[in-house]
Amino acid sequence: MPITRTLIDTADRWPTRTALAGDGERFTYGELSSSCAQVRAGVETLLGSSEPAASGASAAETGGVPIVALSLSRAIDAARLLTGVISFRGVAAVLDPLWPLEHRLEILRRVEPALVVTDDPEFAEQLDAAAWGGTVTSLASFDLAAAEALARRGEAAPGPEVRPRDEPFLLLFTSGTTDLPKGFLRTRGSWAHNVDISRRYLGTADGRSTIAPGPLSYSLTLYALVEVLGTGGSLHLQSTFDARAVARTIAEERIERFVGVPAMLPALLQAARRTELSLDSLVEVITGGANQPAHIRSGFEEAVPTAHLRSYYGASEIGFIGYSDEGDGTNLAPFAGVEVSVRDDAGADVPAGETGTLHIRVGSAVERYLAATSADRITDTEGWASVNDLASFADGRIQLLGRAGDVAVSGGHKVSLPQVERTLASLPGCEQCCAVALPDDTLGSLVAVVIEGDADALPSKARMLGHLRARLAPQFVPHRLYRASLLPRTAGGKIRRSAVLDLVTAGDAERL
């Protein structure tokens, strides 16, 4: 696995080079290597073995490799612990601390990790009371136990080691907006493939510095950690996006590469202008998680001509699919090794240039979800996978046309529209409602909900938003609420989402 092999090599050759920085802390490669030895000592001590083995529901799928789950609020803490866990025989799982508490509890009950490290006292208390066979510890307690265990081991303490390519090392999850996130395992070899793609197409280079704002539970940030440490670079983290802080870090540290969602770029430019900070050290700007609006692209390229801006499209379960250097990022060149098939509803290939559902075959795709979280397969028996996007394919280019189904992408987050509806419909007076995605140049789309009923019969807007915020992660709360006397339905009585969207865009729904 490049990340551990490169970490060992870089710590030996350039021990003072920055490996990780953020939240007021910094680790050189020498310090990170020592931190890996400490994390290993802590995990093995808490699990009572120098070769801990999984025994929970997912043990067979991990090949007996124990799962260590992390639910941490600071990106730097999650990064150093994750790096430590995957530097030896362990599977790291990063939980989104913004998931509803019940989602985090239920996913751990099902997955049954050997160890959970968290800085959320309520979460730890709930886990302690839950019926599961693992160990839960606070971050402070883990760090103390790990330091004491490392001291007992002395100079003979084992540190990072290169592990087999077919060994799982990461447990990733789909969006927590669904009833329950689905988990899937990544092997070391599958992400070695992705690091190679990053070298060839996404601006990673030996020793290059990158800044990736956002928590490590975001796939963009998590992958940035792997690709940067896998190339001996320096990764600057930020637990929550703060445009001024990012601009200051870029200017002061002479950062060469930025990774984030497109919506961050206008805020970054504005912050740099207001603070008179230069972004001219940037040579690569990589965006993902949402379409790259053309006006954001052109504005950034004009303001920072030294930077090459590239947007890419992919899926965590599948891997990298395609990239774009122009326009709105929907016309894509496939990455090397990606096979493309566009199919109709019957599963047959459509003629070149016609619209259908996009299917991808690539060596980095995962075969199936973790059984404890879903019985669904990801790839079919021939290795093809789809995330149900509509597209056409002609002359070697993918033209994305929109997402099939009921999932909106807003600011890089995948939002289940039915889940938003079900949440609001549980509030009396809002039983009949429909969520839609409104086009937005900055976020890709805005989530809006239209509630059916007379104005005097509906709960107040404040009550509706309070109900939603108490039950959904903040990034999934609708941006707008509307009222309509009657929602359009099919002959069978089913609400027609597309017609509701037309109702809003035509101005025939009342904005609350």
Side-chain angles (χ1 to χ4, degrees):
M1 172 64 189
I3 187 171
T4 48
R5 183 179 295 110
T6 306
L7 193 158
I8 293 167
D9 179 64
T10 309
D12 181 55
R13 299 173 64 187
W14 297 285
T16 61
R17 177 185 292 175
T18 295
L20 299 174
D23 300 308
E25 296 188 39
R26 184 181 298 262
F27 292 85
T28 66
Y29 270 90
E31 292 166 340
L32 186 59
S33 180
S34 298
S35 173
C36 289
Q38 180 167 308
V39 169
R40 178 173 185 170
V43 171
E44 292 177 350
T45 297
L46 288 172
L47 297 184
S49 172
S50 60
E51 190 76 14
S55 60
S58 306
E61 290 164 279
T62 66
V65 180
I67 298 172
V68 178
L70 309 173
S71 182
L72 301 167
S73 58
R74 296 202 316 161
I76 192 69
D77 291 327
R80 69 175 174 86
L81 262 68
L82 182 144
T83 305
V85 170
I86 67 175
S87 72
F88 67 109
R89 186 176 176 272
V91 173
V94 180
L95 305 185
D96 189 341
L98 295 180
W99 283 350
L101 178 61
E102 60 270 20
H103 282 184
R104 285 181 284 157
L105 291 170
E106 182 60 23
I107 199 71
L108 292 186
R109 288 191 194 101
R110 295 194 183 196
V111 170
E112 294 187 320
L115 177 65
V116 178
V117 183
T118 181
D119 57 6
D120 181 345
E122 181 185 4
F123 186 44
E125 182 179 341
Q126 293 283 343
L127 276 175
D128 271 334
W132 71 300
T135 299
V136 60
T137 180
S138 70
L139 175 62
S141 295
F142 176 82
D143 283 340
L144 179 60
E148 292 174 347
L150 182 65
R152 288 193 299 270
R153 292 183 173 190
E155 295 183 0
E161 62 185 31
V162 178
R163 303 292 304 174
R165 288 173 57 86
D166 62 352
E167 184 178 87
F169 80 121
L170 284 175
L171 172 56
L172 306 178
F173 297 96
T174 58
S175 170
T177 55
T178 56
D179 290 331
L180 186 72
K182 298 177 183 179
F184 54 96
L185 291 167
R186 275 283 179 195
T187 64
R188 298 173 186 271
S190 71
W191 268 28
H193 169 89
N194 287 344
V195 171
D196 180 61
I197 292 295
S198 290
R199 281 185 180 273
R200 296 175 62 183
Y201 296 97
L202 299 178
T204 56
D206 292 343
R208 177 164 283 176
S209 57
T210 295
I211 188 165
L216 213 67
S217 54
Y218 287 12
S219 58
L220 281 175
T221 312
L222 177 56
Y223 181 67
L225 172 68
V226 174
E227 66 179 359
V228 171
L229 295 185
T231 51
S234 303
L235 180 63
H236 294 256
L237 296 160
Q238 190 182 67
S239 297
T240 55
F241 177 59
D242 179 328
R244 289 196 177 198
V246 172
R248 185 168 57 253
T249 299
I250 291 172
E252 293 176 354
E253 300 281 349
R254 303 300 293 167
I255 302 295
E256 300 164 281
R257 183 171 174 265
F258 173 92
V259 176
V261 295
M264 292 177 176
L265 299 186
L268 178 58
L269 283 182
Q270 185 178 57
R273 291 188 183 111
R274 288 179 174 176
T275 55
E276 298 183 346
L277 291 168
S278 174
L279 305 178
D280 64 1
S281 62
L282 290 173
V283 295
E284 295 286 348
V285 173
I286 308 298
T287 65
N291 288 342
Q292 175 67 71
H295 76 278
I296 292 181
R297 182 189 296 276
S298 60
F300 196 90
E301 289 175 336
E302 181 179 349
V304 191
T306 58
H308 168 234
L309 197 161
R310 171 163 286 177
S311 56
Y312 75 87
Y313 164 70
S316 297
E317 304 99 311
I318 299 172
F320 293 122
I321 297 173
Y323 65 93
S324 176
D325 292 333
E326 59 187 15
D328 64 1
T330 60
N331 188 263
L332 305 161
F335 290 109
V338 172
E339 297 178 68
V340 179
S341 172
V342 178
R343 304 176 184 177
D344 61 22
D345 291 342
D349 287 333
V350 302
E354 292 195 10
T355 299
T357 301
L358 181 65
H359 289 73
I360 297 296
R361 185 160 63 184
V362 63
S364 59
V366 176
E367 182 177 313
R368 62 177 68 247
Y369 293 106
L370 204 66
T373 64
S374 174
D376 295 340
R377 288 183 62 94
I378 296 170
T379 58
D380 63 21
T381 56
E382 296 182 344
W384 291 94
S386 177
V387 290
N388 298 318
D389 280 331
L390 298 178
S392 62
F393 185 60
D395 301 322
R397 306 284 297 191
I398 301 168
Q399 180 64 54
L400 288 178
L401 302 172
R403 181 170 296 276
D406 297 322
V407 176
V409 178
S410 181
H413 300 288
K414 294 180 181 179
V415 181
S416 168
L417 299 178
Q419 177 69 8
V420 174
E421 291 164 355
R422 289 194 295 269
T423 302
L424 184 57
S426 65
L427 176 66
C430 300
E431 292 85 354
Q432 300 300 318
C433 62
C434 180
V436 296
L438 306 177
D440 183 79
D441 287 342
T442 300
L443 296 177
S445 62
L446 296 175
V447 176
V449 182
V450 185
I451 305 99
E452 183 180 89
D454 296 329
D456 57 0
L458 298 184
S460 67
K461 179 180 179 181
R463 188 179 174 196
M464 285 188 273
L465 288 175
H467 183 84
L468 289 162
R469 287 168 180 154
R471 291 161 177 81
L472 294 173
Q475 61 267 40
F476 305 131
V477 174
H479 300 87
R480 296 179 185 176
L481 297 174
Y482 293 85
R483 184 197 68 83
S485 297
L486 193 65
L487 293 174
R489 287 173 168 81
T490 65
K494 183 179 179 180
I495 295 173
R496 296 171 54 223
R497 194 183 307 280
S498 61
V500 173
L501 177 60
D502 292 341
L503 196 74
V504 175
T505 55
D508 294 331
E510 177 187 352
R511 177 85 177 267
L512 299 179

